[in-house]
Every structure is written in structure tokens, then in C-alpha cells.
């Protein structure tokens, strides 16, 4: 058995490299990635657990 879980949050990695990114861009990148994951899971009929930070909601 394989168990999958994903931690979904705003994309803030650019800040670690001294780059600026707007909050809207952070959220859009996270949403795009989440949809790609959901599509892949659905395609293969795989269940997973998602965790989200409160700020993403």
C-alpha cells in the first residue's frame, strides 16, 4: 500500500532567493500545481490527503 499526502500552501520559494512575487502570483502558482496533481490522481484513480495552510483558503 502507498499513502500519499500533499501540503498545499502559497508559493513563497522566490523569497528565499531574494526575489519578489505578488501574493496573487503565489496563489495562482499553487492553484495551478494543485489542479495538475488532482488531474493526475483522477486519471489513475488514486486517493490522497491534502493539507492546506489557512492563508491559502
Amino acid at each position: 500500500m502507498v499513502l500519499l499526502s500533499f501540503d498545499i500552501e502559497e508559493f513563497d520559494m522566490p523569497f528565499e532567493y531574494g526575489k519578489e512575487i505578488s501574493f496573487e502570483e503565489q496563489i495562482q502558482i499553487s492553484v495551478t500545481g494543485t489542479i495538475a496533481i488532482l488531474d493526475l490522481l483522477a486519471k489513475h484513480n488514486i486517493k490522497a490527503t491534502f493539507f492546506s495552510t489557512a492563508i491559502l483558503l
Side-chain angles (χ1 to χ4, degrees):
M1 176 189 318
V2 176
L3 302 175
L4 296 174
S5 68
F6 297 89
D7 183 13
I8 307 298
E9 57 188 52
E10 70 281 0
F11 182 76
D12 61 0
M13 190 170 211
F15 296 129
E16 295 179 21
Y17 297 94
K19 305 291 182 186
E20 292 295 322
I21 183 171
S22 72
F23 182 71
E24 290 78 18
E25 289 174 298
Q26 291 177 28
I27 296 301
Q28 186 55 51
I29 291 167
S30 295
V31 167
T32 300
T34 301
I35 291 170
I37 292 168
L38 288 170
D39 288 346
L40 186 60
L41 293 172
K43 176 181 177 182
H44 296 284
N45 196 29
I46 297 172
K47 295 180 181 179
T49 301
F50 285 76
F51 298 93
S52 175
T53 58
I55 199 165
L56 185 63
L57 301 173

